[in-house]
Amino acid sequence: MKKSVMALGSLLLLGASAYAQKVEFEEYNLDNGLHVILQQDKSAPVVITSVMYHVGAKDEQVDRTGFAHFFEHLLFEGTDNIKRGEWFKIVTANGGNNNANTTEDRTYYYEVFPSNNTELGLWMESERMWHPVINQVGVDTQNEVVKEEKRLRYDNSPYGQLIPQVKKNLFKVHPYRWTTIGSMEHLDAAKLSEFQAFFKKFYIPNNAVLVVAGDFDKAQVKEWVNKYFAHIPKGTPVTRTKAQEAPITQTINATFEDPNIQLPMLVTAYRTPDMTTREARALDMLSSVLSGGKSSRMYKKIVDEDKKALQVAAFNYSQEDYGSYIIYGIPQAPHTSEEVLTDIDAEIKKVQTDLISEKEFAKLQNEFENNYVNSNASVEGIADNLATYYLLYGDTNLINTEIDIYRKITREEIREVARKFLNPNQRLVLNYVPAKEKAQN
């Protein structure tokens, strides 16, 4: 949800070199199960207060999809002590900005304020957790907002159904098979009591992590955290069972017609290991080899030299339970999707057969070092990383050590993940084409 209301500008952008070193933090639990992470840095007079809840699209019922994303919107409606429509006014009036976002695995809320408003940010997040107002007026209002978002991002956007179609075909039993925005029919059919029950189940202190990062007094913040959060009752522990997908043993062929496009797209996708694995990180590195910039293998060969495609890309979409490795290309006439697929397969075959060069490997390592520094170059980035590493990886200190995992991945491991996961009998081939009536115009 894009609800930022006032940028703090350069105060948020701390020098990258300041975060090339270890990120120091303290973490502890309240009696109600809320995990608290404090990261103090006084290099700029700003502070972020954020809460990440361990609830996403995969936690929904098959006939009630879209709830987690819906709550991303709904929990800005107001609380017992913040009148409806006042949330953003309060943030703006106090020189801050705020936002929220949802994935298949978690939902994240945050405020960034000048450091003298740290207590305000903590109070607002405690209000969201403790007693938000969830009534029919708010549900009806946000239902229309979500419908408009779906129309804008998915229904009327060129190639907007790419990820939904990949998910639908790549997963058969796991909740990853539906989109985060979910079904509008499910939201329309849901009763107010169902929304209230969803909140009661998932938006509880023992299913969340609170992060405070930036310029603050640690002793004072601990007092405020205790004041505003310690009294919130612990909820019934959330239990999860991972739905196990059967291995893909033969190519899945699918076609989707998009009325919003004029050029076809060739898409291939492979089911891959979860985000915590070393293999997932090796696949991240392989993505950069194949399509990370104009000097990457696929771009250089298929787009630049042979001019068979206008665009080509590969990326590893890592998630808590499974990952998806997605490759796509838009053919350049008179070349076809079949030709682009043949050339993509040829590039995959090369990385399955031969080690990448020492030069490519050095470039790759530099790229990931740079990504690491940039990811911790703002209070927003640090807070997000701390919450994510704790909640989804189970190790907060990965904010400092994950780069060591990437540093130790070898050329042989990159070749091995290509051999293990990127084979024709293990994938989806999706022909993403213009709708017939569009193609005839």
Side-chain angles (χ1 to χ4, degrees), residues 66-336:
F67 267 46
H69 171 261
F70 193 85
F71 268 86
E72 175 196 318
H73 294 260
L74 188 61
L75 293 187
F76 283 97
E77 274 286 306
T79 74
D80 288 352
N81 296 304
I82 301 175
K83 293 181 180 179
R84 185 169 183 268
E86 292 294 312
W87 188 284
F88 299 106
K89 293 179 182 179
I90 293 172
V91 173
T92 302
N94 287 278
N97 72 71
N98 63 172
N99 212 330
N101 52 73
T102 310
T103 70
E104 292 84 352
D105 303 312
R106 94 295 179 275
T107 307
Y108 185 56
Y109 303 87
Y110 69 87
E111 297 78 33
V112 184
F113 282 117
S115 53
N116 62 332
N117 281 322
T118 302
E119 183 179 9
L120 176 62
L122 288 168
W123 173 72
M124 293 184 78
E125 283 304 329
S126 71
E127 282 288 299
R128 195 196 311 267
M129 183 183 293
W130 179 216
H131 41 214
V133 173
I134 301 174
N135 58 26
Q136 197 62 52
V137 173
V139 168
D140 291 344
T141 300
Q142 296 307 322
N143 203 346
E144 293 305 312
V145 173
V146 171
K147 286 178 180 178
E148 181 58 29
E149 180 180 349
K150 184 175 183 292
R151 284 189 288 267
L152 180 65
R153 293 176 54 194
Y154 295 93
D155 299 342
N156 300 324
S157 176
Y159 307 103
Q161 294 295 324
L162 190 157
I163 297 299
Q165 288 299 312
V166 167
K167 290 161 65 70
K168 173 184 174 181
N169 287 283
L170 204 59
F171 296 97
K172 302 302 180 184
V173 298
H174 195 283
Y176 286 162
R177 67 187 184 272
W178 58 74
T179 60
T180 304
I181 204 164
S183 165
M184 298 306 99
E185 289 76 17
H186 294 172
L187 295 176
D188 286 341
K191 298 177 182 178
L192 178 60
S193 59
E194 293 178 86
F195 290 106
Q196 293 169 334
F198 192 82
F199 176 84
K200 183 179 180 180
K201 180 176 182 179
F202 292 108
Y203 298 83
I204 52 178
N206 46 312
N207 195 46
V209 54
L210 166 69
V211 179
V212 185
D215 180 18
F216 58 85
D217 179 88
K218 190 177 289 187
Q220 179 64 78
V221 163
K222 287 183 177 180
E223 289 184 15
W224 286 334
V225 167
N226 188 67
K227 175 181 178 181
Y228 293 116
F229 290 92
H231 66 280
I232 301 175
K234 183 177 184 177
T236 302
V238 177
T239 57
R240 294 178 174 84
T241 302
K242 176 182 174 181
Q244 297 292 332
E245 290 281 352
I248 299 171
T249 57
Q250 59 182 6
T251 302
I252 302 168
N253 291 292
T255 299
F256 179 77
E257 295 185 2
D258 188 339
N260 302 306
I261 65 172
Q262 295 181 329
L263 299 175
M265 175 183 284
L266 183 281
V267 186
T268 67
Y270 309 77
R271 199 186 304 141
T272 54
D274 72 77
M275 64 202 311
T276 67
T277 61
R278 189 179 178 97
E279 290 173 321
R281 295 173 172 103
L283 286 163
D284 289 340
M285 300 185 84
L286 177 60
S287 298
S288 291
V289 173
L290 291 176
S291 70
K294 293 186 177 181
S295 63
S296 62
R297 291 189 174 201
M298 292 200 309
Y299 186 93
K300 186 176 181 180
K301 176 64 175 174
I302 304 172
V303 177
D304 192 22
E305 294 179 1
D306 294 348
K307 294 180 171 49
K308 291 185 178 180
L310 297 170
Q311 185 178 349
V312 65
F315 60 97
N316 187 37
Y317 185 31
S318 292
Q319 298 169 277
E320 188 175 21
D321 288 352
Y322 290 100
S324 304
Y325 196 90
I326 302 171
I327 305 173
Y328 68 85
I330 299 176
Q332 177 167 286
H335 300 287
T336 65

Side-chain angles (χ1 to χ4, degrees), residues 353-377:
T353 305
D354 300 317
L355 296 176
I356 64 173
S357 69
E358 290 283 5
K359 182 178 179 181
E360 284 178 301
F361 192 52
K363 176 187 173 185
L364 194 58
Q365 291 175 314
N366 289 336
E367 177 185 339
F368 277 78
E369 291 280 350
N370 186 60
N371 291 343
Y372 163 67
V373 172
N374 288 338
S375 71
N376 292 326

